Amino acid sequence: MNYLDKLRAASAARNSLLCVGLDPEPKNVPGGLDGAIALCRRIIDATCEAACCYKPNAAFWEQYGPRGWEALATIRAAVPSDIPVIIDCKRADVPNTMAAYATAVFDAMGFDAATVHAYHGADSLAAFAGYKSKGTYVVCHTSNPGRADLQHLDASGEPLYMKVADLAARANLAVVIGATAPAEAAAVRKKFAKLPFLLPGIGRQGGDVEASVRAAYNGDAASCLIAVAGAVMYAEDHRKEAIMWRDRIRKATEHAHQR
C-alpha cells in the first residue's frame, strides 16, 4: 500500500482528516527529552482513534541533540501501524544530497512521508519522487507573514507559489499550503484539481479550518489533510481536543461537499 492509500484507509477507518503534530517545546515539556517522549506517547495513545496521521517536526527533536533522532524513531514506532507518519523536515538541496535525505527519512527512519522545498528545481525532487510507495509534500505556500517576500513574486504572470504547485503536480507529489491562506489554497485547487494538500497552521497559528477545507477538499481524503500541533499537544485532555478538531474538520467537509 502506498502512502496516499494508507492515508485514505486510516481516514476512512476514523472518519477523520486530522493530522496531529508532535512538536515538543522544552519550555513547555518538563523532563527534557525523556519527558518529550513520554508526552508524545501519551498523545498518540489518547488520539489514535481520532487522528488519521501524525507529523513530528524534525527540528523539535533535533534541538535535544544526538539522542533526538533516536527519540524520533521511538515516537515513530509508537504510532499504530495502520496510521501514516509524516516527518516534517523540509529538506532542500542538489539532487545527490536529496537522494541521501530521502534514504535517511524513508529507508533508515521508516517514515511514510516527508516535506521538502523545491527551490533547487525539478531535478532536486526526483529522488523523493522515486519512492513511489512514500509520500512527499512540497512546500508551496506557508503560514508565516514573511511568505510574501518570495512566494508572491510574479513569475511569468502568476505568483511563484503557483509555479511550485506546478512542479509538484508534474512530479506526482503533494503540496503544503498554510491554513492561514485559504484564498491561495483555493487558487491552487482551482488549477490543480487532484493535488493532495497538507494544511498546517491550525490552532495556535490562527488558521481557518472551515475556509481551508472549503478551499482544498475535493471529496478525496488525501486532498485535505489538516494538521494541528500545539492545540492538541498542550491541551488538558488530548483525546477530547483531538475529537473536537476531527469533528470540526468533518463538519466542514460535509458543508464543502454540499456546495
Side-chain angles (χ1 to χ4, degrees):
M1 184 182 292
N2 66 32
Y3 163 72
L4 291 178
D5 287 340
K6 184 175 181 178
L7 175 62
R8 292 179 181 114
S11 172
R14 295 161 179 81
N15 200 3
S16 174
L17 297 177
L18 173 64
C19 176
V20 172
L22 300 171
D23 307 338
E25 298 171 292
K27 65 181 181 180
N28 294 326
V29 181
L33 181 58
D34 291 337
I37 294 171
L39 171 62
C40 288
R41 294 183 83 152
R42 290 196 302 272
I43 291 169
I44 293 166
D45 289 343
T47 63
C48 62
E49 293 181 3
C52 67
C53 191
Y54 289 93
K55 185 178 71 66
N57 187 307
F60 286 89
W61 296 92
E62 291 170 353
Q63 67 183 327
Y64 289 100
R67 288 184 59 224
W69 275 98
E70 295 177 0
L72 263 175
T74 297
I75 293 304
R76 198 265 167 271
V79 175
S81 61
D82 69 313
I83 302 178
V85 184
I86 303 168
I87 179 67
D88 191 356
C89 53
K90 298 184 179 71
R91 300 308 189 203
D93 217 308
V94 294
N96 67 322
T97 307
M98 286 293 272
Y101 278 141
T103 297
V105 298
F106 294 145
D107 295 330
M109 298 295 289
F111 287 103
D112 298 290
T115 59
V116 300
H117 275 289
Y119 194 76
H120 290 71
D123 61 346
S124 75
L125 301 178
F128 277 80
Y131 281 80
K132 302 299 184 184
S133 66
K134 302 293 186 176
T136 299
Y137 288 92
V138 181
V139 177
C140 176
H141 193 276
T142 59
S143 57
N144 62 308
R147 64 196 181 215
D149 294 341
L150 295 177
Q151 294 164 31
H152 286 251
L153 292 177
D154 179 83
S156 302
E158 61 183 1
L160 182 59
Y161 72 81
M162 198 66 78
K163 298 295 187 183
V164 175
D166 182 64
L167 276 180
R170 285 192 279 122
N172 291 316
L173 302 178
V175 291
V176 180
I177 300 183
T180 56
E184 286 78 5
V188 173
R189 173 58 72 224
K190 183 177 181 180
K191 187 171 182 180
F192 302 99
K194 297 183 179 180
L195 196 61
F197 285 17
L198 169 64
L199 298 117
I202 298 294
R204 297 192 303 173
Q205 289 179 267
D208 188 324
V209 171
E210 287 74 20
S212 295
V213 171
R214 285 196 302 271
Y217 187 63
N218 64 10
D220 177 10
S223 71
C224 185
L225 184 60
I226 301 288
V228 181
V232 173
M233 280 200 69
Y234 303 116
E236 291 186 9
D237 188 325
H238 306 303
R239 181 177 182 274
K240 182 178 179 181
E241 188 76 8
I243 289 173
M244 183 277 290
W245 284 109
R246 179 200 63 187
D247 293 349
R248 185 173 170 185
I249 295 164
R250 182 169 61 199
K251 184 176 181 180
T253 64
E254 292 169 353
H255 290 164
H257 205 56
Q258 292 169 1
R259 287 180 300 170

